[in-house]
Amino acid sequence: MSISMQSILPQKNTPEFEAFLSPARAQAQIWKTLIGVVVIGGWYLLTSLLLLMLFLAAGFDMATTEAGVTRFTPAFLGMALATLAVLPLCLIPLVKLLHRRSFVSLIGPHGFLKAPYLAAAFLVFLLTMIGFLIDMLIGDPVRAQSLGTVALWAVPILVLLVLQTAAEELVFRGYLLQQLAARFDNRLIWWVLPSLLFGAMHYSPSSFGQNAWIAVAIATLMGLVLSDITIRSGNLSAAMGVHFANNVFAIFILSLPGELSGLSLYHLNVDMTDPDAVRRALLTSFCVLLGIYAVYLAVLRWRRG
């Protein structure tokens, strides 16, 4: 039986997805969703400013300069994660007052599910560690941080990572995906648009210079994958696990030098002042992620066939 790729892409009319978005149907007016987006954005900007002032008042150094090279500190990383981790404090009253539904409904009909979260996190972390070992053999990662410093910050950063990744899933794959899918039938609106917004949030010219849009493309593709997982499972738990494991690897093990690399044990051996070198590294990451998603869709097609 022939199955088109179009039919393999996420579908709206499945029992799992219908159950996931049904709590949003009664209050899916677009004006309410737009108000919600403005409120969430305003909350994020306000808390970013307040936390920056708090960290500076507490005496934390956000960055250091050595030999003309700026290196962001673990404290800056903690502050950046905290600004996202507190997003649920805005979402809880928002969905209750504006959309007349419970906060838990953003996760799915059965609430948080531990088994899919742990299974997804374990699988992704295993695959990324295999990739890291290959890179250690054929590449040349640069040691960037001591084990002592990583151990000192590990517990608070891990807690913040759990909260930060869950918060981003609740906003982009929970709130936005549900509200838009309950209102519109076009896949470009309820699947692609939230992923584009997720990608835009990762725009960072200070880290990637003129290649910042490639980083946005990587984050957008990641958003499409996480949305796909959510749509097919009808729950955020697995996507939360994937997101958490991916960020743990990037934060603690291997990353490009940048704003959020203050705790990475290793950095990719890339001169961040060389646009061509940065572009090659980012395009490699994009192709790897695209290949993983292609394999994922091929497996789904094989199973359905």
Side-chain angles (χ1 to χ4, degrees), residues 69-232:
V69 177
T70 300
R71 299 184 184 277
F72 292 90
T73 64
F76 180 87
L77 170 65
M79 183 206 67
L81 294 176
T83 60
L84 294 165
V86 298
L87 278 175
L89 297 179
C90 167
L91 278 175
I92 292 171
L94 175 68
V95 296
K96 181 67 175 178
L97 298 175
L98 187 61
H99 300 286
R100 308 295 181 183
R101 61 190 181 103
S102 72
F103 173 73
V104 177
S105 69
L106 293 173
I107 303 174
H110 304 293
F112 176 73
L113 302 174
K114 185 186 297 184
Y117 183 97
L118 294 177
F122 174 77
L123 178 60
V124 170
F125 191 71
L126 177 64
L127 291 174
T128 53
M129 285 305 296
I130 292 172
F132 171 67
L133 293 176
I134 294 172
D135 192 68
M136 288 289 286
L137 292 173
I138 65 176
D140 188 25
V142 177
R143 186 63 180 265
Q145 192 57 271
S146 67
L147 280 172
T149 301
V150 172
L152 179 66
W153 286 86
V155 172
I157 294 298
L158 278 172
V159 171
L160 285 173
L161 277 173
V162 170
L163 297 174
Q164 170 257 324
T165 51
E168 289 190 14
E169 293 310 305
L170 285 164
V171 170
F172 292 99
R173 265 65 67 179
Y175 181 75
L176 281 176
L177 180 57
Q178 284 181 339
Q179 289 299 127
L180 293 175
R183 177 66 178 81
F184 300 100
D185 290 328
N186 192 323
R187 190 189 286 120
L188 292 175
I189 297 177
W190 51 261
W191 182 42
V192 176
L193 181 57
S195 300
L196 287 172
L197 293 174
F198 178 70
M201 198 181 75
H202 291 77
Y203 180 69
S204 179
S206 60
S207 290
F208 304 110
Q210 60 186 321
N211 294 303
W213 287 107
I214 302 178
V216 169
I218 294 171
T220 299
L221 179 57
M222 187 66 175
L224 290 171
V225 174
L226 292 169
S227 294
D228 191 328
I229 293 170
T230 301
I231 292 163
R232 295 180 199 276

Side-chain angles (χ1 to χ4, degrees), residues 206-275:
S206 60
S207 290
F208 304 110
Q210 60 186 321
N211 294 303
W213 287 107
I214 302 178
V216 169
I218 294 171
T220 299
L221 179 57
M222 187 66 175
L224 290 171
V225 174
L226 292 169
S227 294
D228 191 328
I229 293 170
T230 301
I231 292 163
R232 295 180 199 276
S233 64
N235 192 281
L236 287 181
S237 300
M240 286 179 178
V242 170
H243 200 161
F244 173 71
N246 177 78
N247 283 21
V248 165
F249 179 80
I251 293 297
F252 287 106
I253 309 298
L254 179 67
S255 68
L256 277 170
E259 295 176 354
L260 303 182
S261 63
L263 266 188
S264 295
L265 284 170
Y266 293 90
H267 287 168
L268 289 171
N269 191 10
V270 176
D271 181 1
M272 297 301 288
T273 64
D274 182 352

